Amino acid sequence: MSYWLLLTCSVFTFFILYAVQPLLALFAQHYQVSPATAGSLMTLTMAPLAIAPLLYGVMLNRRNLYRVLQVVMVTLALTNALVPLTEQFWQLQALRLIQGLALPAALTAMTASIAIRYQGAEVSKKMSGYIGSTIAGGFLGRALAAGFAEYLSWQSFFWLNSLLLLALAACIRAHRAPIRQAHTPLRGNLSALLNTRILTLYASVFCMFFCFAALLNYLPFILRSTYAMTNTKNIGLVYSGYLLGALTTFVTPYLQKRCANIFSLLATVFLGYSATIALMFWHSLPVFLVAFTCFCASMFIIHATAAPLVNRLSSASASLTNGVYVSFYYSGGALGSFVPGLLYQAYGERAFLGCLLLVCLCGYLLIAVPQRLGTDKTCT
């Protein structure tokens, strides 16, 4: 399986995860449910992503990773094709839960295969490319879903994506050059991850994605209530700030080479991440759009730095190292996609943003600890 085919699979896999996000307000109206209940469509998908990678990281240790990816993509295609046929909201929730159980196997297989196939600085480069593909998938999934809902129908987008997933699954040749890992005892794998630098890095990633998932999940509601933006197409276009994140992932390896301490780089970007949330308290649409764009860029610099760094620091198997990373990442997303929404419903936008700012500053403190300890002083 070529690297570029893997990136293409990543793009369309992320369509599954994020296409519903700009449609949440539409679903809330269509199914007559509250914003927090509509937001559960993201929570139900991210909750398994927070737990399953821990199990999958162990299960995939001796599996053909490409075969796993192929089976998961077929599963996602079939469940995605059923989404437009749902008549009750609980049916839609059930399908999203099944997708959430399947997605972590695909994400763990893709990241583990990159970590196995490439070495040294090449891992950072290839992982940055992979993260760029997830950004592209996240943006295009949101933007195209919103565009289809405005000009055609949201149902047609889901069916089209299912066909593309089946076509890509057929292109994977899992029987050729299978990617497997050497078996490592579970106890040795786990003890390798019980390291201050690795654990604080995982925890900071949790904080990072908590904030990101929360803001992007409730962005349609904020744009409607605070800035009177009711057009689904325009809401989808606001997500274009997300695209700048894709550009920053490609300059991240350069930033890493220029820094004296990679944890210092992460801490600085976390402070910038916090500053963008603080700017959103100022109710001005131009300021919000600029802050949102910088918010996305900051998040992806952190992600593109942390993902290869944890692989470099860990001596555990690639599948378990990346499985735990995915678990922390999406556990933050699962909580972020729901808990701040309760604050938003009860106390409004300022309480919502205050929660995100507090969690983001916690992420900064988690990164600052290994920085003060002087660990990992070089970037290469």
Side-chain angles (χ1 to χ4, degrees), residues 2 4 8 35 38 85 153 155 177 184 207 214 244 272 282 309 376 378:
S2 74
W4 291 106
T8 305
L85 303 178
S153 69
Q155 293 92 337
T184 304
C207 296
L244 287 182
W282 187 4
L309 176 60
D376 200 50
T378 63

Side-chain angles (χ1 to χ4, degrees), residues 5-53:
L5 177 58
L6 185 145
L7 296 189
T8 305
C9 291
S10 170
V11 169
F12 290 103
T13 298
F14 273 80
F15 277 19
I16 297 289
L17 182 57
Y18 291 118
V20 303
Q21 208 162 47
L23 306 177
L24 289 176
L26 184 152
F27 287 146
Q29 184 178 11
H30 179 75
Y31 291 102
Q32 295 295 296
V33 296
S34 69
T37 302
S40 70
L41 293 176
M42 291 301 297
T43 306
L44 285 167
T45 311
M46 288 187 179
L49 279 162
I51 302 169

Side-chain angles (χ1 to χ4, degrees), residues 145-211:
F148 270 68
E150 184 69 24
Y151 295 111
L152 297 170
S153 69
W154 65 267
Q155 293 92 337
S156 58
F157 175 72
F158 281 77
W159 285 323
L160 175 62
N161 192 32
S162 292
L163 289 174
L164 292 171
L165 285 169
L166 289 173
L168 286 170
C171 292
I172 299 173
R173 296 293 180 263
H175 61 281
R176 295 180 184 173
I179 296 293
R180 289 190 176 93
Q181 306 164 86
H183 178 65
T184 304
L186 179 59
R187 181 177 295 180
N189 271 317
L190 291 176
S191 63
L193 296 178
L194 297 178
N195 175 295
T196 300
R197 294 182 299 174
I198 295 174
L199 290 176
T200 55
L201 190 59
Y202 280 145
S204 67
V205 165
F206 170 94
C207 296
M208 171 199 75
F209 201 55
F210 179 100
C211 299

Side-chain angles (χ1 to χ4, degrees), residues 85-233:
L85 303 178
T86 57
E87 296 181 356
Q88 302 294 326
F89 189 72
W90 69 265
Q91 296 171 333
L92 185 54
Q93 288 177 311
L95 288 173
R96 292 291 291 174
L97 180 60
I98 294 170
Q99 291 175 343
L101 291 168
L103 277 166
L107 305 188
T108 303
M110 285 188 280
T111 53
S113 68
I114 292 172
I116 294 168
R117 288 175 61 184
Y118 303 100
Q119 302 296 322
E122 193 70 8
V123 174
S124 294
K125 181 180 177 181
K126 297 298 184 181
M127 198 68 80
S128 292
Y130 165 75
I131 292 171
S133 73
T134 69
I135 297 166
F139 168 73
L140 291 173
R142 293 175 174 102
L144 290 174
F148 270 68
E150 184 69 24
Y151 295 111
L152 297 170
S153 69
W154 65 267
Q155 293 92 337
S156 58
F157 175 72
F158 281 77
W159 285 323
L160 175 62
N161 192 32
S162 292
L163 289 174
L164 292 171
L165 285 169
L166 289 173
L168 286 170
C171 292
I172 299 173
R173 296 293 180 263
H175 61 281
R176 295 180 184 173
I179 296 293
R180 289 190 176 93
Q181 306 164 86
H183 178 65
T184 304
L186 179 59
R187 181 177 295 180
N189 271 317
L190 291 176
S191 63
L193 296 178
L194 297 178
N195 175 295
T196 300
R197 294 182 299 174
I198 295 174
L199 290 176
T200 55
L201 190 59
Y202 280 145
S204 67
V205 165
F206 170 94
C207 296
M208 171 199 75
F209 201 55
F210 179 100
C211 299
F212 192 74
L215 183 60
L216 269 70
N217 220 38
Y218 292 95
L219 183 63
F221 300 103
I222 293 173
L223 292 175
R224 285 174 183 265
S225 62
T226 305
Y227 301 105
M229 189 179 293
T230 58
N231 190 296
T232 306
K233 178 191 69 175

Side-chain angles (χ1 to χ4, degrees), residues 283-300:
H283 284 170
S284 166
L285 184 58
V287 172
F288 182 88
L289 294 176
V290 171
F292 176 70
T293 300
C294 294
F295 174 84
C296 293
S298 299
M299 181 272 182
F300 288 117

Side-chain angles (χ1 to χ4, degrees), residues 175-380:
H175 61 281
R176 295 180 184 173
I179 296 293
R180 289 190 176 93
Q181 306 164 86
H183 178 65
T184 304
L186 179 59
R187 181 177 295 180
N189 271 317
L190 291 176
S191 63
L193 296 178
L194 297 178
N195 175 295
T196 300
R197 294 182 299 174
I198 295 174
L199 290 176
T200 55
L201 190 59
Y202 280 145
S204 67
V205 165
F206 170 94
C207 296
M208 171 199 75
F209 201 55
F210 179 100
C211 299
F212 192 74
L215 183 60
L216 269 70
N217 220 38
Y218 292 95
L219 183 63
F221 300 103
I222 293 173
L223 292 175
R224 285 174 183 265
S225 62
T226 305
Y227 301 105
M229 189 179 293
T230 58
N231 190 296
T232 306
K233 178 191 69 175
N234 290 338
I235 291 173
L237 288 175
V238 171
Y239 285 100
S240 62
Y242 190 95
L243 269 183
L244 287 182
L247 298 177
T248 60
T249 60
F250 294 109
V251 302
T252 300
Y254 171 78
L255 294 176
Q256 293 171 4
K257 289 179 181 178
R258 297 286 296 177
C259 72
N261 183 319
I262 199 162
F263 283 99
S264 179
L265 171 64
L266 284 168
T268 301
V269 180
F270 253 110
L271 285 178
Y273 199 36
S274 303
T276 62
I277 298 172
L279 280 174
M280 294 177 190
F281 281 92
W282 187 4
H283 284 170
S284 166
L285 184 58
V287 172
F288 182 88
L289 294 176
V290 171
F292 176 70
T293 300
C294 294
F295 174 84
C296 293
S298 299
M299 181 272 182
F300 288 117
I301 291 174
I302 296 170
H303 187 23
T305 302
L309 176 60
V310 77
N311 277 282
R312 185 159 59 83
L313 294 176
S314 173
S315 60
S317 69
S319 63
L320 186 62
T321 299
N322 289 281
V324 175
Y325 182 93
V326 171
S327 181
F328 271 85
Y329 184 87
Y330 283 106
S331 61
L335 288 176
S337 65
F338 184 69
V339 174
L342 298 177
L343 289 175
Y344 179 73
Q345 282 188 179
Y347 303 106
E349 182 186 347
R350 290 187 179 276
F352 172 83
L353 292 174
C355 172
L356 302 195
L357 183 57
L358 179 62
V359 173
C360 192
L361 289 173
C362 287
Y364 163 75
L365 292 174
L366 286 163
I367 287 297
V369 170
Q371 179 187 346
R372 288 198 303 272
L373 292 174
T375 57
D376 200 50
K377 290 186 178 180
T378 63
C379 299
T380 58

